[in-house]
Amino acid sequence: MYTVTVAFRADREYEFHVHAEDVAGLDSRSAREWLHDEFDELECTPTNPVGKVLVLDVILNVAKYGGENRFAQGGEWARRFASCVAVALDRPVVRIDVPGFVVG
């Protein structure tokens, strides 16, 4: 099981529990591809305008540009985001601090 938390403020954090069945058939390449597609779809601005966009920048920007409302609703998009982050990073616990622009 993975736990992905997306924080917009200390009192506005959204926690998603991702189970093995949630990510069945989702590999790292597909997860990263979904995140990159969302990065493009949301018209995110790369942190570093020169050079390669790192997966952590993609995750942070997709969370930021996707907006707090999507995470607050906890719908399909937010659950898909959490699943893709869990698989792409393969860490049991991930905390995405949107205002601090940090993935921990």
Side-chain angles (χ1 to χ4, degrees), residues 27-72:
D27 62 18
S28 180
R29 185 193 58 75
S30 298
R32 289 171 188 252
E33 188 175 293
W34 186 88
L35 290 164
H36 280 280
D37 288 347
E38 288 302 304
F39 183 89
D40 292 339
E41 180 72 27
L42 294 167
E43 298 179 354
C44 298
T45 304
T47 307
N48 180 2
V50 180
K52 187 176 180 180
V53 179
L54 303 175
V55 71
L56 296 179
D57 287 334
V58 171
I59 290 168
L60 286 160
N61 276 292
V62 170
K64 177 182 174 182
Y65 285 82
E68 181 178 358
N69 195 39
R70 290 187 196 213
F71 295 101

Side-chain angles (χ1 to χ4, degrees), residues 11-22:
D11 61 338
R12 294 200 320 250
E13 296 186 357
Y14 308 96
E15 188 171 278
F16 299 89
H17 299 284
V18 181
H19 302 277
E21 59 270 12
D22 298 327

Side-chain angles (χ1 to χ4, degrees), residues 1-6 14-19 22-23 26 31 34-35 38 59 62-63 70-71 74-96:
M1 183 174 86
Y2 301 95
T3 301
V4 177
T5 303
V6 183
Y14 308 96
E15 188 171 278
F16 299 89
H17 299 284
V18 181
H19 302 277
D22 298 327
V23 295
L26 181 63
W34 186 88
L35 290 164
E38 288 302 304
I59 290 168
V62 170
R70 290 187 196 213
F71 295 101
E76 178 60 34
W77 187 92
R79 290 191 309 273
R80 180 71 173 172
F81 174 86
S83 293
C84 287
V85 167
V87 170
L89 298 181
D90 194 27
R91 294 188 210 162
V93 177
V94 177
R95 186 171 192 284
I96 301 164

Side-chain angles (χ1 to χ4, degrees), residues 7-9 60 95-103:
F8 286 86
R9 281 193 354 206
L60 286 160
R95 186 171 192 284
I96 301 164
D97 178 352
V98 177
F101 215 67
V102 174
V103 175

